[in-house]
Structures are given as C-alpha cells and as structure tokens.
Amino acid sequence: MLAQRPRTDRAFERLYQQNVREVYRYALVVLRSPEDAEDVTQTAFFNAYRAFAQGERFDSPRTRLIGIAHELCHQRARHDERLDDLVQQVDEAVPDEESPSKADLRRALGQLRFDQRAALIMREVEGRSYAEIAEILNVSLARVETLIFRARRDLREQLEGALTCHEAERAISRHLDGLLARSDRRALRTHVRDCGDCTAFARGQRAQRAALRALANVSLPSSLSSFSQPDAPSRSLTRA
C-alpha cells in the first residue's frame, strides 16, 4: 500500500487539476459566497480522494465530482437562513432592454428553490444534458424538465419584480424623507438585506443626514448672546 500511495496521489492530482475549476464554478454560482464555494470544493475533493485511495475509480469523473459537490451544496442550502421570503412586486420593474447585473442575478437566483437553482445552473452554466442532471439529482428526466421550466419562469419573475441597485438607492432616499409607500418598503428591505453595496449606501445616507443635521447645533458666540444698540453704525455697514 505504501508503494502504491505515490501513484494514487499522482493520479488523483491529475483528476483534481482537470476538474477543480468546474467544480468550484458550480459551487460558486449555486452558493451565496466565494468562501462557501471554496469550502465545498475542498470538501468534495477530500471526499473523492478517500474513495479514490480505497480503490474506487470514477467512470465519469466530471459527473461524479459535480454530484458530490451538489450534495454538499444542498446541505449548505438547507441551513442557509438567508433564503426566506420571495421578493415582492415593486412599482418599477426592470426594463426589458436592461440586462440584469451579476449582483441582481445572484440575488434572484438566491430566491429560487435549491433544486430549481441547481438544475438551472447545471443546464445554463455547466451546459449539462438532461440525462446528466437527472443522474446527479437522482430524479427522472421528466422531473428535470419541470425543474428547469419552473426555474426559468421564477427567475424571470424575480428579476422583473426585484429592485435594481439604482432603484434601491432612490427608494432609500425616498424612505429617508418619508415618501416611500408602505407597499414598497418590504422590497427595499429585501434588497438591502441581500446587497452589501446598498447596505453600505443606506448606512452612509443615514450618517450623512445625521452629520448635516448636526450643523444646526451651533454655539452662539458671546458677542451675540444679547442684543445691544450700537452707538453708531459700523464702518463696514456704512459703506454698504
């Protein structure tokens, strides 16, 4: 076994180099953060190595490794408290001619059910066939077709109904002035909760307002503490 170990390591290293980018890419799109994706990728290959070291060989390494990563992603998603209510309809939908940003797309994907999101990513990002997706998810081809159809529909609804960052910034400004309708506040809260940039923008706007209002708290100089009638107009006022 000790003599065979270096050969096993070299063989698995080749397997790793050939597939690590694809496994990480899948995890990065499905999960919420690069840190989670990195952790899942490392764990997936660690689990695969243990099986490999015990003599198991993968007929389809690409599919098997994505399957391992998918299961780990699924476990993460079940504990992700950030996946909660769907984004509500807001007053201005994303214009049809405007392409969603990566941040908008990630937020919208995060609102999909995990199995829908996984199937859609495998199909659209990974370019996998329905048969491959069915094997990884352990479901029928008909189920895969349904998952992808619903994922595409729900993603469109999310993108059309969610605030963009530009709209969120405007809504934050209106909210500061008490002009934001109650029906739009939930959409704003949802966006700000999931968008670090807009969270920072909202915090900055509140701090800016507090700083501006602090300008009203001025100390009166002693020369103005009371009114006194001057004996004669000052020279500067006379020239004026």
Side-chain angles (χ1 to χ4, degrees), residues 170-205:
R170 184 170 60 182
I172 289 168
S173 180
R174 291 176 59 83
H175 186 56
L176 285 173
D177 293 327
L179 301 176
L180 189 65
R182 182 181 296 272
S183 59
D184 294 334
R185 293 175 189 171
R186 186 175 183 182
L188 177 60
R189 287 195 300 268
T190 300
H191 180 98
V192 170
R193 181 193 62 208
D194 295 335
C195 179
D197 289 342
C198 288
T199 298
F201 178 82
R203 189 181 300 117
Q205 289 295 300

Side-chain angles (χ1 to χ4, degrees), residues 16-61:
Y16 178 86
Q17 295 298 334
Q18 292 166 357
N19 294 277
V20 62
R21 182 181 298 274
E22 189 169 356
V23 171
Y24 176 70
R25 182 180 63 187
Y26 173 75
L28 184 62
V29 179
V30 170
L31 295 175
R32 289 279 192 164
S33 72
E35 292 78 14
D36 286 345
E38 182 179 354
D39 187 42
V40 161
T41 301
Q42 291 173 344
T43 303
F45 277 99
F46 178 75
N47 292 347
Y49 177 80
R50 287 192 300 182
F52 199 84
Q54 292 172 1
E56 183 178 347
R57 294 298 179 266
F58 307 150
D59 294 334
S60 178

Side-chain angles (χ1 to χ4, degrees), residues 2 10 14 54 64 100 118 148 190 192 206 214:
L2 291 175
R10 288 195 297 271
R14 289 194 296 271
Q54 292 172 1
R64 178 64 187 280
I148 292 175
T190 300
V192 170
R206 290 193 295 269

Side-chain angles (χ1 to χ4, degrees), residues 113 115-117 119-120 130 133 137 139-154:
R113 272 177 29 187
D115 54 354
Q116 292 180 1
R117 183 166 74 251
L120 185 64
Y130 278 28
I133 298 172
L137 299 183
V139 297
S140 66
L141 288 174
R143 178 60 177 165
V144 170
E145 183 178 357
T146 299
L147 285 172
I148 292 175
F149 165 75
R150 291 178 177 173
R152 286 170 174 162
R153 179 197 62 192
D154 293 349

Side-chain angles (χ1 to χ4, degrees), residues 157-170:
E157 292 176 354
Q158 290 297 325
L159 289 172
E160 291 178 350
L163 290 173
T164 65
C165 287
H166 176 74
E167 291 167 338
E169 290 175 0
R170 184 170 60 182

